[in-house]
Amino acid sequence: MGKKIGGQSHAKVTATKSEKSAVKTGPQKVLTKKEKQKQKRDKLLANLAKTVTSKNVKEGEVAAPRKKNQSKLEVIKDLKDALPNLSLTSKTFERRPVKLTQDKRQKIALKETKQFKDVVQHPQFKKSPLATITEHLTNSVALMVEKEDKERSIENAERKKKRIEDKRKATEEKARTSAHA
């Protein structure tokens, strides 16, 4: 470590960059990693609070004062409320789940049991079960894709008709306004 000169030990002294900058600017408190993370978190929360309160003021709402000992769940709920609502346009979300009665369940079970027996008895399945299942899945997926494409083309055709109709109405309105002027 150090050399002994005349009975005294001298330690080698080197300064790190942060210590050198502290010497130049004055004494600074060295922050731990947790303290730095806490400062960043507090700064983010403050910015979010500013954004939320400014948005609420613009909308005419009164911002509620934030509790000091607010749980994480409450903070998440507040942030969720601040986010804009997204409208779900997918058809899968529009459907309600089908409630199955006991009779419906029995009919489905009987139908599936019969279908399973037919599949197992089929000569092609007996010859090569894996190839048969693969072929069935390939055909099923192709059928689903074809069905989706057909639905999509119908939707596109309807949108195109609506655009043409809107364009026609706009030109008629434009012609009417220019005729009156």
Side-chain angles (χ1 to χ4, degrees):
M1 287 202 202
K3 296 179 182 178
K4 260 191 171 179
I5 301 175
Q8 299 175 351
S9 72
H10 295 282
K12 191 174 183 181
V13 178
T14 58
T16 62
K17 285 186 178 181
S18 61
E19 291 171 341
K20 289 179 184 176
S21 65
V23 171
K24 292 178 185 175
T25 59
Q28 293 179 347
K29 183 181 176 189
V30 179
L31 298 175
T32 64
K33 184 175 181 178
K34 278 199 173 207
E35 290 171 335
K36 288 178 185 177
Q37 288 175 339
K38 187 175 183 335
Q39 282 182 348
K40 284 183 180 180
R41 182 180 179 275
D42 292 341
K43 187 176 179 180
L44 174 68
L45 289 175
N47 286 340
L48 282 174
K50 285 180 192 176
T51 306
V52 170
T53 54
S54 65
K55 182 178 178 184
N56 291 345
V57 170
K58 287 179 186 175
E59 294 174 356
E61 298 175 8
V62 178
R66 184 167 179 226
K67 300 173 192 170
K68 276 197 169 193
N69 295 331
Q70 196 174 22
S71 71
K72 290 180 181 180
L73 182 62
E74 290 170 336
V75 171
I76 291 172
K77 284 180 182 177
D78 291 343
L79 290 174
K80 182 182 172 193
D81 292 342
L83 292 173
N85 290 334
L86 300 175
S87 62
L88 301 174
T89 58
S90 177
K91 292 179 182 178
T92 57
F93 293 109
E94 294 173 5
R95 295 184 196 153
R96 286 188 287 151
V98 178
K99 292 184 180 180
L100 294 177
T101 62
Q102 189 67 24
D103 291 338
K104 287 182 183 178
R105 282 192 189 114
Q106 284 179 345
K107 286 180 183 178
I108 291 171
L110 287 173
K111 180 181 172 186
E112 288 181 356
T113 306
K114 182 183 178 298
Q115 186 177 9
F116 180 73
K117 287 179 182 176
D118 291 344
V119 168
V120 172
Q121 296 299 321
H122 197 277
Q124 191 71 24
F125 183 80
K126 284 182 177 179
K127 192 185 291 183
S128 175
L130 187 60
T132 307
I133 291 172
T134 305
E135 184 180 347
H136 171 70
L137 289 174
T138 305
N139 294 339
S140 297
V141 169
L143 194 67
M144 286 174 35
V145 168
E146 185 179 312
K147 183 179 176 184
E148 288 176 359
D149 288 345
K150 188 176 181 179
E151 288 175 357
R152 195 175 299 123
S153 66
I154 290 170
E155 289 173 1
N156 288 340
E158 289 172 356
R159 270 192 243 120
K160 187 175 181 179
K161 284 180 185 178
K162 188 177 183 316
R163 275 196 309 262
I164 291 170
E165 184 65 25
D166 290 345
K167 196 172 186 178
R168 185 187 59 79
K169 285 180 182 178
T171 54
E172 287 176 358
E173 183 67 29
K174 196 174 188 180
R176 238 184 278 133
T177 56
S178 63
H180 290 289

